[in-house]
Amino acid sequence: MNFLAQILNGLRTGSIYALIALGYTMVYGIAKMINFAHGDIIMVGAYALYIFSAVLGLPIPLAIVLTIATCSILGITIERIAYKPLRKAPSLAVLITAIGMSFFLQSASLLIFGATPIPFATIINVPSVTLGSLSVSGLTIVTLVVTAVAMILLTWFINKTKAGSAMRAVSEDKGAAELMGINVNGTISLTFAIGSGLAAVAGILFICQYESLQPTMGALPGIKAFVAAVLGGIGSVPGAMLGGIVLGLIESLSKAYISTKVSDAIVFGVLVIVLLVKPSGLLGRKKTEKV
């Protein structure tokens, strides 16, 4: 039963990585940029939930909606200010800007809230479910359900709506999409908004799991979620989901049966092996360049 418990822990953690990785993979798939500040939006979401629920005392459902809206607006703002002017810039300039934006968000949070971790009681009060001798926590159930619903809705949105069709068109060829009358700027902004909204959901689930806030809390989950996106196939929505789940399972089983000290090294080592065997990731498509 301990093995099954570790599997559930891995699925819960992996689901959070998957939600964050979806933001990475959507932005890369459409704007061909890596938003390394994306992990810090988790942190912003956690602090926003703290302000709306604990400080202002708003009802939990309203606080959650406002948290998602705050992160979505932040994502749009970051895209317009930092990334839009750099769409045709060298990759190094984009990378430096992304890292700078990450440090800016962390420093701003440090100035506002301080370095001392802030305790935060979970807002998810769902009772545990017992399956034989295995107890499944309410947080695990909510995390798995929320992730599954988010994945289904996102897949439906991309494949069945006009805005989703515009995203797919911009992903294939921005110039051709613009000639067809698609608002490329608006489509990219919408992509950042959706990805940041999903990061907010991940931040809410993350803070309910660890019950502590600090300015650097989004850094490591952000890096691991990027690894998950690359592992599954950067640019592939199902790949981001699969990569997050696989990463969570590897991390959980490594901590339980090998060592907590080397679990992160094992996670990154698996990524290296996968990229050596299949550079495009588990579900990524290999593109052939014509010269």
Side-chain angles (χ1 to χ4, degrees), residues 6-230:
Q6 295 303 325
I7 291 293
L8 287 173
N9 288 337
L11 290 174
R12 180 181 65 194
T13 304
S15 295
I16 295 175
Y17 291 156
L19 287 172
I20 308 167
L22 285 170
Y24 279 115
T25 207
M26 287 181 67
V27 169
Y28 179 82
I30 295 174
K32 300 297 183 271
M33 291 181 175
I34 300 296
N35 178 19
F36 279 110
H38 189 67
D40 295 290
I41 295 179
I42 310 166
M43 174 269 296
V44 173
Y47 275 111
L49 180 66
Y50 166 73
I51 292 172
F52 292 133
S53 62
V55 177
L56 299 180
L58 299 178
I60 296 302
L62 178 59
I64 291 173
V65 171
L66 290 176
T67 296
I68 295 172
T70 298
C71 289
S72 295
I73 293 171
L74 175 62
I76 294 173
T77 304
I78 289 174
E79 189 276 327
R80 291 291 175 90
I81 294 176
Y83 295 124
K84 184 179 178 181
L86 297 175
R87 286 181 193 168
K88 296 182 180 180
S91 299
L92 181 60
V94 178
L95 176 62
I96 293 173
T97 301
I99 294 173
M101 182 58 65
S102 175
F103 281 124
F104 170 77
L105 292 175
Q106 290 184 26
S107 300
S109 299
L110 184 64
L111 289 173
I112 296 171
F113 299 102
T116 304
I118 300 175
F120 180 76
T122 180
I123 61 171
I124 298 176
N125 299 308
V126 177
S128 300
V129 175
T130 301
L131 303 173
S133 59
L134 180 65
S135 178
V136 184
S137 69
L139 178 59
T140 298
I141 295 171
V142 170
T143 301
L144 294 177
V145 170
V146 168
T147 304
V149 170
M151 181 64 184
I152 292 169
L153 290 177
L154 182 62
T155 302
W156 171 83
F157 177 83
I158 292 174
N159 294 318
K160 300 296 182 180
T161 66
K162 185 176 180 180
S165 298
M167 286 181 177
R168 286 185 281 121
V170 172
S171 175
E172 290 294 329
D173 191 323
K174 292 186 183 68
E178 195 166 15
L179 290 175
M180 293 171 63
I182 294 174
N183 185 341
V184 173
N185 290 330
T187 300
I188 293 176
S189 292
L190 178 60
T191 303
F192 271 82
I194 293 174
S196 299
L198 291 171
V201 175
I204 292 170
L205 296 172
F206 186 84
I207 195 61
C208 288
Q209 180 173 333
Y210 293 98
E211 300 187 357
S212 178
L213 299 95
Q214 54 186 356
T216 57
M217 62 175 287
L220 187 56
I223 293 172
K224 289 182 177 179
F226 174 70
V227 171
V230 175

Side-chain angles (χ1 to χ4, degrees), residues 232-256:
I234 191 77
S236 168
V237 171
M241 194 73 183
L242 177 62
I245 297 298
V246 169
L247 199 72
L249 290 172
I250 293 172
E251 181 179 315
S252 179
L253 294 174
S254 298
K255 287 181 177 178

Side-chain angles (χ1 to χ4, degrees), residues 17 220 224 251 254-255 259-269:
Y17 291 156
L220 187 56
K224 289 182 177 179
E251 181 179 315
S254 298
K255 287 181 177 178
S259 171
T260 56
K261 295 181 179 179
V262 299
S263 60
D264 289 344
I266 292 172
V267 165
F268 294 119

Side-chain angles (χ1 to χ4, degrees), residues 230-233 271-286:
V230 175
L231 180 64
L271 172 67
V272 172
I273 293 172
V274 170
L275 292 182
L276 287 173
V277 176
K278 197 174 188 299
S280 58
L282 297 176
L283 298 182
R285 293 180 299 173
K286 186 176 180 181

